[in-house]
Every structure is written in structure tokens, then in C-alpha cells.
Amino acid sequence: GETWTYTATYEITQDDINAGGVNNTVTISATTPAGGSVSDVSDDGNDGDGNTANDVTEVDLPRTPSLSVEKSVSSSVEVSVGTVLTYGYVVEN
């Protein structure tokens, strides 16, 4: 009749993002007072098919690649033939 609550953490990696998500299942086992064994697999309770038995908990990770570049030019003199321009670039991934 006891209820125990546990918490676990997981740090998302670039491989997880590349894969598009993380899946997690927990299995628990215990020994009964009579020396037998019992076990259960975690349920996510949210799969939409009406069956919550032994569901993998899935977390979708959006993959939204983006790239931007900003260019600037600096010249402190009047520009004419032979003027050397210096360009600067800021690239963000």
C-alpha cells in the first residue's frame, strides 16, 4: 500500500537533437515477502490509443537549423580607385 516517488534527470545532447527526440522507459523489480518477484514497466499514460500499458515516454525535439551572416565594411577615407576596403563578417549558427 505504499507509494514512492522518484525523480531522474537527463541532459539533452546534440545527438538527441539530431535524432529528433528522446525515448525513456523504466523497469522496476522487487521481491515479495514470500520471496517471489514482481516487476513493472513504466507507462506514459498519454499515447492516445487507450492503452497505457508499458508505453515508452517520448519527447520530440524540434530540429530547426538556421544560419545567418552579417557583413560590414569599414573605410575611414573617401573611396576611390585603389582604396582598400576591409570587410567584417559575423556568422551565427
Side-chain angles (χ1 to χ4, degrees):
E2 296 177 11
T3 299
W4 296 357
T5 302
Y6 297 91
T7 302
T9 59
Y10 177 80
E11 185 173 335
I12 300 296
T13 66
Q14 185 62 52
D15 286 341
D16 297 329
I17 293 171
N18 293 349
V22 176
N23 297 329
N24 180 272
T25 302
V26 174
T27 302
I28 187 166
S29 301
T31 303
T32 67
S37 63
V38 293
S39 66
D40 191 24
V41 177
S42 61
D43 308 323
D44 74 358
N46 190 27
D47 67 357
D49 69 2
N51 178 8
T52 58
N54 305 336
D55 294 330
V56 172
T57 301
E58 299 175 354
V59 177
D60 293 328
L61 300 174
R63 294 180 278 179
T64 52
S66 67
L67 188 62
S68 68
V69 62
E70 182 180 316
K71 180 175 72 169
S72 62
V73 61
S74 66
S75 175
S76 60
V77 296
E78 187 175 315
V79 177
S80 61
V81 174
T83 301
V84 176
L85 299 175
T86 301
Y87 290 93
Y89 301 92
V90 177
V91 178
E92 186 175 343
N93 181 3

